[in-house]
Amino acid sequence: MNQNLTALIPELALLGAAVIGLLAGCWLPRRRQWYVAVLAAAACVTGLAATAVTMATGGEQTVFSHTFAVDTATDAGRLIGLGSLLLVIAMSVETVRGHKRETEFWVLLLMTGAGTLALIGANDLLTLFAAYLLASIPAYALAAFAKDATGTEAALKYYLMGALLGTALLAGTALLYAAGHATLYRRLLATLPAAPYGLVAVGLVAVLAGPLFKAGAVPAHFWVPDVTQGAPAPVAAYVTTLPKIGGLIAGYRLLHQALADTGVNWPLLLAILAAVTMTLGNLAAFFQKSVTRLLAYSTISQVGYLLMALAVATRSDLAQKSLLFYLAAYAATNLGAFAVVTELPHAQTLEDYRGLATRRPGLTAVLVVCLLGFVGTPPTGVFLGKLEIFSAAVDGGATWLAALAVANTVASLFYYLRWLVPLFSTTEAAPGEAHAVLGTWAAATAYTAAALSLVLGLAGGAVLPFGAGDLAP
Amino acid sequence: MLSVVTFLPLLVCAVLLTSRTLGARAYVWVWIAAAAADLALVIALWAGFDTGGGMQYEQRLRWIPSAGVGYHVGVDGLSLPLLAMTCLLFLAVAVYSLRETRRARSYVCLFLFLQTVSMGLFVALDLILFFVFFDLSIVGMFFVIAGWGHGERARAAAQQFFLYTFLGSLALLLGFIGLYLAATPHTFDIVDLARTDPLAGRGAYAGLVLLAIGVGLAVKTPTVPFHTWLPPAHTDAPAAGSAILAGVLLKMGTYGFVRIAMPLLPGSWRHYALVIVIVGAVSVLYGSLVALAQTDFKRMIAYTSVNHMGYIVLAVGAAGTLAGSDAQARSLAVTGAVTQMVSHGLITGALFLLTGVLYDRGRTYAIDAYSGLAAHTPRFAAATAVAAFASLGIPGFSGFIAEFQIFTGSLASRPVTTAIAVTGILITAALFLRALRTMFLGHPRLPQTTPAGGITDLSRSEAIPTVTLLAVALIIGIAPRWLLDVIEPAGRALTGLVAR
């Protein structure tokens, strides 16, 4: 049995930093608690470096009886996840600085980040469940971090949905175990084709509930708007970005590695889920007045596009690299938009953004890049992601889904423009206090994320190949 | 070299963005200098262009190889005239914009950005590169209309414009993906795709790809029934924006037909040529009839654009009809179509700049509000009259050359539709003459909205660009050989590709 702990450096770095940070936080005076933030950032950088070494040396493997895979998807997922976590840490600095529970914030962030990374590599149903819990439980606490009414309500809703769908995941695991006599993906791949159809179908749907909850896809999306609006802005940025990376890669791995050869028509199921998710997210976003709610529904619709790659997971060679690239582009774009929201804590409705272009040209530029990026305007990263994912869908025989995604893209333009147009309004600008800024860290994060989003589009040629490569069995 | 020409405006834009101290006029002067330099470069390109040499000044770099996307640019006889027209029109608009004082820096930067995007589109030889510029042109024009148009209405028009043309561009993207997946190895390169013709014999699939690409380009062109975004966008945009929108951006659609749809999908193009011809003829007639019904001068000109673009669609459709025509007639139709693109850019660009003058003086576009303007503003009246006559296609101007070739080339293969479309010229003549009579002749009368102090004639910064554009249209009309020598070989090559 391969018990190579060095393969898990990124996950262990985050967990180690969490433990050390928790202990250190007990002793540090309140104005020195930012040491923990530095520790958290250092853990992310360590993880990134370790991933880079793995990729450079070809250290792909499966560890602990093949329950955890370190392969192309894991490497890409770690890079995206850790990079996103760094951005989230940077944009949180001003929000939690000097807070009496500052250490707890960083520790919870590290724990749930570690859970996300575990989801990415989970190659076994029970590992998947453990990772699900590790990723979810600290996130519930983070949602209620502000201890106000909206935050508490959001956390409660988040927790109840998470507990329900986590149970479904566990029940599905039991069913698949009954059908395939294993929880390991590589064993299930061999045994499930001969298993009773109904058992596999029900088990699959139940297991999928977990990744879909993490991704915020329909029908497990009800928590997304409430948590995004109720939680502090950096936490909202977190829950709309990292869990999606974990959930979608976990779902992709599950479908591709365990269920590829079963008779269950899961490509159609995923295609329908994708179609419903993108359409519902878009329709619900249409007339939102609050920017965080608008972003929440926009992330739901983005998950719809991402699910297209899962629907053609085994039918197109483009599926995997398109999924991974789109995730990277989406993460950068989404974090950029949320960094602007964090930077402007008093601007909460679309009206509050009127005339921002003259007062804050830099932040306006970030918003233009990010919102047009969401739409998929070239040359942003999401454009290239969409191009790849649409190609994958057409290649995989789901042309109708690609056409629907195109129609949805046009519809989404409507609400992104509802935010963009007021920015340049020259009459009746919002009162000055609405445009008061928080500080340099959040602004720097916004610029970095927007730049990343653009670079991913322009230099996609250098990034795309990282997503190609076989998954470890 | 081509990349320098293309990205020079963007470079100037980046430099301007870092400066803070210049006055409004200084920004426009920088813009004029940049546009003039770019035009000089394009003239140099033209001087070194070998008319029979096919694709030239090619540059090919790896960009996103794993997605089949490359940076590939080049010009041939189809794109070089459009490139030159684009440069000239942007220079004209730059000179015209000397009066613009509202947020000059962003204004100039936006137009510099638009210039790079427009030129990039005409030199792009990769579908995704083409799409990138196609989409960015929408973004740039959206901000021009929303930021410098006529009030709140302009923002609504900008939004409609964006939504509508973006829908078109996404249909186009689906079509491109269809082409990409059909080719082995998968590629977006236009030259490679044209050589291999990957969709030959792929019946319904090829038809669907043509439908997606055709709809995308038809929205941008625009042809009936996809033209409804155009009148509000034109009417509510600032004059400079309208001139670029009509002069350059509409050509992106028609250029797409000759650059992408025809050579890459020859089989389907021939198969559905009749549909395209009919759409063209309907656009000609419908556009001119609706223009006839307008009371708003700018809106009227906007609808004549639908009419003029219809001629182009008619010609490219006829070029796909092999039965009843020889290769010479088909290539004549294509040559006419490209000439019409250039001609329409020059003439309609001038017309829209002139409507800007009208609005500036009288604060309204309503034709009925003015009367006897010729008495107050002889130079303005003369320029508008010349532009109107040029637009309706009287001999001596580029429009006549273009339309003559289009009709001669199309008549052999599609006699009935062509004959019907010719009547469009008559209607255009009627509507322009009516507008000229109402506004410039008769008893002098000014609208209520005219500011105190009356109406002044064309100033120098208004006269120079419009007269220059019309002068070039006149030169093409009288001595077209230098232009046709460039277009004809490319037109022949294109009809050869369609007929294979």
Side-chain angles (χ1 to χ4, degrees):
Chain A
M1 186 168 80
N2 183 356
Q3 293 186 329
N4 183 8
L5 273 179
T6 54
L8 297 178
I9 288 178
E11 290 77 11
L12 294 176
L14 293 189
L15 280 178
V19 173
I20 298 171
L22 194 61
L23 293 175
C26 301
W27 303 101
L28 284 170
R30 189 176 295 173
R31 57 194 168 75
R32 297 264 170 75
Q33 294 201 343
W34 58 268
Y35 289 171
V36 185
V38 176
L39 184 68
C44 292
V45 173
T46 311
L48 285 172
T51 310
V53 170
T54 311
M55 294 170 83
T57 56
E60 280 74 13
Q61 55 190 307
T62 55
V63 288
F64 297 103
S65 308
H66 311 294
T67 55
F68 193 90
V70 181
D71 55 17
T72 310
T74 312
D75 288 338
R78 280 173 172 173
L79 288 182
I80 305 166
L82 290 169
S84 307
L85 197 58
L86 264 182
L87 289 176
V88 172
I89 291 172
M91 81 169 83
S92 316
V93 169
E94 283 104 359
T95 312
V96 295
R97 180 184 286 156
H99 195 284
K100 59 184 171 190
R101 282 172 279 123
E102 182 175 352
T103 303
E104 284 85 333
F105 182 88
W106 301 121
V107 170
L108 288 171
L109 207 55
L110 283 168
M111 302 277 267
T112 170
T116 301
L117 293 196
L119 271 175
I120 288 166
N123 210 18
D124 176 282
L125 288 173
L126 288 174
T127 317
L128 180 70
F129 181 67
Y132 174 87
L133 290 183
L134 181 56
S136 300
I137 294 170
Y140 306 146
L142 275 178
F145 190 74
K147 276 192 175 174
D148 53 3
T150 52
T152 315
E153 188 193 330
L156 198 62
K157 201 161 189 176
Y158 196 18
Y159 167 71
L160 284 175
M161 287 284 292
L164 175 69
L165 295 168
T167 316
L169 166 59
L170 198 57
T173 305
L175 288 176
L176 287 187
Y177 182 72
H181 309 295
T183 56
L184 206 58
Y185 289 177
R186 62 189 321 183
R187 296 272 303 282
L188 286 173
L189 188 66
T191 54
L192 280 185
Y197 179 88
L199 209 53
V200 178
V202 177
L204 165 67
V205 171
V207 169
L208 270 181
L212 289 180
F213 165 76
K214 294 268 53 156
V218 174
H221 68 286
F222 293 104
W223 59 273
V224 179
D226 292 320
V227 175
T228 312
Q229 196 180 17
V235 175
Y238 175 85
V239 295
T240 53
T241 312
L242 269 104
K244 291 189 197 310
I245 302 170
L248 287 162
I249 295 181
Y252 180 84
R253 194 187 292 281
L254 172 75
L255 295 169
H256 191 271
Q257 298 297 89
L259 290 140
D261 303 326
T262 56
V264 180
N265 193 359
W266 54 263
L268 180 65
L269 172 72
L270 265 296
I272 291 171
L273 283 177
V276 175
T277 304
M278 64 176 86
T279 312
L280 212 85
N282 271 332
L283 292 183
F286 263 12
F287 297 106
Q288 296 299 334
K289 292 198 176 71
S290 148
V291 287
T292 41
R293 269 191 110 76
L294 185 139
L295 277 177
Y297 284 111
S298 126
T299 68
I300 295 178
S301 72
Q302 298 284 333
V303 169
Y305 305 133
L306 283 158
L307 282 175
M308 290 164 68
L310 268 61
V312 293
T314 51
R315 298 186 176 190
S316 168
D317 295 336
L318 298 167
Q320 182 181 323
K321 71 172 179 181
S322 66
L323 171 72
L324 295 174
F325 186 83
Y326 197 123
L327 271 175
Y330 163 76
T333 312
N334 195 46
L335 290 175
F338 270 106
V340 174
V341 174
T342 311
E343 176 74 356
L344 299 168
H346 302 292
Q348 289 174 343
T349 63
L350 296 178
E351 280 298 303
D352 291 339
Y353 279 81
R354 283 183 77 92
L356 187 73
T358 43
R359 291 216 189 96
R360 309 271 173 219
L363 292 179
T364 307
V366 171
L367 271 184
V368 169
V369 168
C370 290
L371 294 180
L372 288 179
F374 276 137
V375 178
T377 310
T380 57
V382 175
F383 161 69
L384 194 57
K386 274 197 172 151
L387 175 68
E388 288 292 295
I389 229 159
F390 290 178
S391 300
V394 176
D395 193 35
T399 310
W400 65 273
L401 191 57
L404 183 73
V406 162
N408 262 300
T409 302
V410 174
S412 73
L413 188 59
F414 174 76
Y415 60 84
Y416 292 124
L417 285 184
R418 280 187 64 228
W419 191 357
L420 269 181
V421 176
L423 294 176
F424 297 92
S425 168
T426 45
T427 52
E428 304 166 44
E433 61 262 31
H435 298 163
V437 294
L438 197 57
T440 48
W441 280 95
T445 316
Y447 298 138
T448 313
L452 269 178
S453 169
L454 271 179
V455 166
L456 277 176
L458 290 171
V463 183
L464 263 175
F466 289 133
D470 292 330
L471 293 184
Chain B
M1 179 71 176
L2 269 184
S3 305
V4 175
V5 174
T6 309
F7 289 102
L8 177 72
L10 196 64
L11 194 72
V12 176
C13 165
V15 172
L16 282 186
L17 278 179
T18 55
S19 72
R20 295 209 166 265
T21 47
L22 297 175
R25 300 274 285 195
Y27 282 118
V28 180
W29 276 112
V30 172
W31 178 20
I32 293 174
D38 226 20
L39 182 62
L41 286 174
V42 171
I43 291 172
L45 282 183
W46 193 306
F49 186 82
D50 173 12
T51 50
M55 201 58 76
Q56 286 161 57
Y57 301 109
E58 270 187 272
Q59 190 180 11
R60 209 167 177 168
L61 298 172
R62 288 158 58 84
W63 183 22
I64 313 174
S66 47
V69 181
Y71 176 83
H72 188 182
V73 293
V75 282
D76 64 358
L78 301 178
S79 46
L80 186 60
L82 286 170
L83 196 65
M85 183 273 285
T86 304
C87 261
L88 181 66
L89 194 59
F90 269 98
L91 179 59
V93 168
V95 175
Y96 181 84
S97 297
L98 275 171
R99 342 171 283 143
E100 183 65 60
T101 51
R102 292 175 294 165
R103 287 165 286 143
R105 189 165 64 127
S106 342
Y107 179 84
V108 167
C109 281
L110 258 180
F111 274 96
L112 285 169
F113 169 77
L114 266 175
Q115 184 169 359
T116 284
V117 166
S118 311
M119 307 224 290
L121 182 121
F122 293 128
V123 299
L125 289 179
D126 183 277
L127 291 176
I128 292 303
L129 193 61
F130 180 93
F131 182 81
V132 166
F133 290 126
F134 193 89
D135 240 21
L136 286 179
S137 75
I138 304 175
V139 175
M141 190 45 78
F142 168 76
F143 285 119
V144 169
I145 300 176
W148 285 268
H150 306 315
E152 281 300 322
R153 228 180 22 176
R155 267 180 272 284
Q159 195 156 333
Q160 189 191 355
F161 161 76
F162 202 136
L163 284 173
Y164 218 125
T165 48
F166 199 77
L167 175 68
S169 82
L170 286 171
L172 197 62
L173 184 64
L174 269 192
F176 288 174
I177 290 175
L179 275 169
Y180 164 77
L181 292 172
T184 39
H186 293 341
T187 179
F188 282 108
D189 195 272
I190 293 178
V191 177
D192 290 349
L193 285 170
R195 197 174 50 237
T196 51
D197 188 11
L199 285 171
R202 294 279 298 271
Y205 182 74
L208 277 178
V209 171
L210 179 64
L211 180 70
I213 292 182
V215 167
L217 296 173
V219 170
K220 188 88 173 180
T221 299
T223 66
V224 175
F226 303 111
H227 65 285
T228 47
W229 61 267
L230 180 128
H234 274 91
T235 315
D236 296 327
S242 306
I244 296 299
L245 182 55
V248 181
L249 265 59
L250 298 192
K251 306 306 171 304
M252 295 180 174
T254 51
Y255 174 72
F257 283 119
V258 295
R259 171 61 67 218
I260 295 168
M262 293 172 78
L264 266 47
L265 293 155
S268 320
W269 187 267
R270 290 196 306 271
H271 193 243
Y272 295 103
L274 180 62
V275 178
I276 297 156
V277 168
I278 290 175
V279 168
V282 171
S283 289
V284 167
L285 276 188
Y286 185 83
S288 54
L289 283 173
V290 177
L292 187 63
Q294 296 306 314
T295 54
D296 179 310
F297 190 54
K298 201 173 184 185
R299 226 176 154 81
M300 182 190 91
I301 296 171
Y303 273 109
T304 63
S305 292
V306 178
N307 157 280
H308 283 103
M309 294 296 109
Y311 294 133
I312 300 177
V313 176
L314 172 75
V316 292
T321 312
L322 297 191
S325 72
D326 52 13
Q328 202 188 349
R330 291 200 301 275
S331 115
L332 190 63
V334 171
T335 309
V338 177
T339 316
Q340 172 77 333
M341 293 183 211
V342 176
S343 157
H344 180 261
L346 298 171
I347 298 169
T348 308
L351 266 174
F352 272 119
L353 292 182
L354 288 167
T355 60
V357 175
L358 184 73
Y359 188 83
D360 184 58
R361 306 296 195 269
R363 294 283 139 206
T364 175
Y365 294 120
I367 297 175
D368 292 341
Y370 301 90
S371 179
L373 269 186
H376 293 279
T377 58
R379 273 176 291 160
F380 174 59
T384 312
V386 170
F389 279 111
S391 180
L392 64 85
I394 60 158
F397 283 96
S398 55
F400 172 74
I401 305 285
E403 280 160 32
F404 176 73
Q405 294 185 97
I406 287 173
F407 289 129
T408 316
S410 311
L411 197 62
S413 52
R414 296 288 177 199
V416 180
T417 19
T418 309
I420 295 173
V422 172
T423 54
I425 296 189
L426 190 68
I427 306 175
T428 325
L431 64 94
F432 269 118
L433 290 177
R434 193 200 54 162
L436 288 178
R437 193 202 61 209
T438 317
M439 286 166 57
F440 294 111
L441 307 178
H443 182 70
R445 177 166 57 82
L446 294 173
Q448 305 284 324
T449 43
T450 309
I455 276 185
T456 52
D457 208 349
L458 283 188
S459 71
R460 207 182 312 160
S461 72
E462 290 157 351
I464 291 175
T466 42
V467 172
T468 311
L469 289 175
L470 293 173
V472 176
L474 182 70
I475 293 170
I476 296 175
I478 294 170
R481 272 323 319 163
W482 58 278
L483 178 65
L484 298 182
D485 280 342
V486 171
I487 301 176
E488 272 169 2
R492 270 199 299 277
L494 177 64
T495 42
L497 282 176
V498 173
R500 76 190 137 141

